[in-house]
Amino acid sequence: MNGESRSGMGSGKTERSAAEAIADCLCVVSDSERDTLRCNEVMSVIIDVVFRRTGQRMRGKGKTPGYTDGGGYWPLFRTVEESLDLLADSIESSVMKIGRDAAISIDIAAADMVDDYGSYRLEGEGNTLSGNAWYDRLSGWIDTYAILMVEAPFGNNDWGNWGRLTNKACSKLMVIGDNLYMTDMDSMRKGMARQESNAVMIKINQIGTVSEILDAITLTRGAGWDQVVSSRSGDTEDVFIAHLAVGINAGWLHPTRRTDSQVE
């Protein structure tokens, strides 16, 4: 199992006047037992070095007013490129290499950006892009920063661009549906028919029961999709979410960080 840490920067869902995305740093390992054990070491570096170093640099620039509900930094950047440059530099200046030890993921929550005409509003930049222009902008980030995961990259009705990005991804990029599917079986079947994504966010709070989660895992695994088991941002510290991810052999775990912890 790979680990995901909210050790990057979160801004999109909490402060739309900053960058239009949440950027995370991921642990990248193979399926071998040796590399899986090594993931613990990498995660320690991500939390102890990358997270703190990123925070120090943002504070030095006067860009950090607080934290998101998921535990990441809440920076005041005008563009996504500024935040990705800083996170990539923090990773590379540690003992890790992007792509070998760690990677970047971004959560766009693009449904919040779409206007009544299907265009995408980048409020921090005072800019509005067509669907095609937004696709090109996003593709540029993926190529420039070797991004491994993109969550909710387009509006829920922008099926054409979901399919374009998934086809571009092949096996190198995870295109993740979250609110697009809501861990709902019928919605995921429609997504499979349209080839909208190649991965899904699995959340018990969306579907309601463990039995339905197991059905969703069976369905998506049969389609060759990756699964990211997640709690809702800032929702709980209960360790059940980790037990569930291990029990179903999920590829990825997306836990809430302890930064805004209920219990220290």
Side-chain angles (χ1 to χ4, degrees):
M1 179 182 298
N2 297 284
E4 178 168 357
S5 173
R6 277 260 187 247
S7 59
M9 293 155 287
S11 58
K13 293 180 179 176
T14 308
E15 178 54 70
R16 301 304 286 182
S17 65
E20 307 290 328
I22 292 177
D24 294 326
C25 183
L26 312 176
C27 170
V28 178
V29 296
S30 71
D31 291 331
S32 72
E33 181 178 357
R34 180 178 179 182
D35 269 8
T36 300
L37 292 172
R38 180 173 167 272
C39 186
N40 288 330
E41 300 176 10
V42 175
M43 290 299 290
S44 294
V45 174
I46 289 174
I47 294 170
D48 293 336
V49 179
V50 177
F51 182 65
R52 289 188 173 86
R53 186 168 295 172
T54 301
Q56 289 168 355
R57 292 180 177 183
M58 284 193 293
R59 282 189 288 273
K61 296 175 180 287
K63 298 286 188 178
T64 313
Y67 295 96
T68 68
D69 61 357
Y73 293 116
W74 174 12
L76 293 176
F77 289 116
R78 288 195 65 254
T79 68
V80 173
E81 288 85 353
E82 288 183 75
S83 60
L84 291 174
D85 282 339
L86 183 60
L87 182 55
D89 186 58
S90 294
I91 295 170
E92 292 286 356
S93 64
S94 70
V95 297
M96 299 186 299
K97 295 295 181 183
I98 293 179
R100 184 193 69 188
D101 306 302
I104 293 173
S105 78
I106 51 176
D107 177 2
I108 306 295
D112 295 334
M113 299 166 56
V114 181
D115 64 20
D116 293 338
Y117 304 98
S119 298
Y120 290 82
R121 304 183 306 273
L122 281 72
E123 295 181 2
E125 301 176 12
N127 193 14
T128 299
L129 300 178
S130 68
N132 286 336
W134 171 244
Y135 174 89
D136 291 340
R137 180 82 174 270
L138 181 59
S139 294
W141 299 340
I142 292 166
D143 294 337
T144 301
Y145 301 98
I147 289 170
L148 181 65
M149 291 181 180
V150 179
E151 181 183 341
F154 303 106
N156 292 344
N157 295 318
D158 193 354
W159 304 314
N161 274 327
W162 276 96
R164 285 176 69 193
L165 189 62
T166 299
N167 289 331
K168 168 188 171 70
C170 297
S171 61
K172 296 181 180 179
L173 174 72
M174 289 172 58
V175 182
I176 305 170
D178 183 5
N179 290 343
L180 180 68
Y181 303 129
M182 299 294 288
T183 321
D184 176 73
M185 300 286 282
D186 289 340
S187 296
M188 289 186 287
R189 289 190 184 99
K190 291 177 182 177
M192 291 170 190
R194 296 178 180 135
Q195 296 183 323
E196 290 175 330
S197 69
N198 58 16
V200 62
M201 192 71 73
I202 300 290
K203 294 180 177 178
I204 292 181
N205 71 287
Q206 288 179 335
I207 195 63
T209 68
V210 173
S211 296
E212 289 169 304
I213 287 290
L214 297 179
D215 289 341
I217 291 292
T218 300
L219 176 67
T220 55
R221 188 163 286 159
W225 284 10
D226 282 303
Q227 300 95 28
V228 182
V229 173
S230 175
S231 58
R232 192 169 184 83
S233 293
D235 187 35
T236 179
E237 282 190 333
D238 193 287
V239 297
F240 173 76
I241 198 73
H243 295 170
L244 175 67
V246 172
I248 64 177
N249 194 29
W252 295 86
L253 172 64
H254 186 304
T256 296
R257 275 190 45 81
R258 296 181 299 167
T259 304
D260 291 338
S261 172
Q262 302 155 348
V263 179
E264 289 294 344

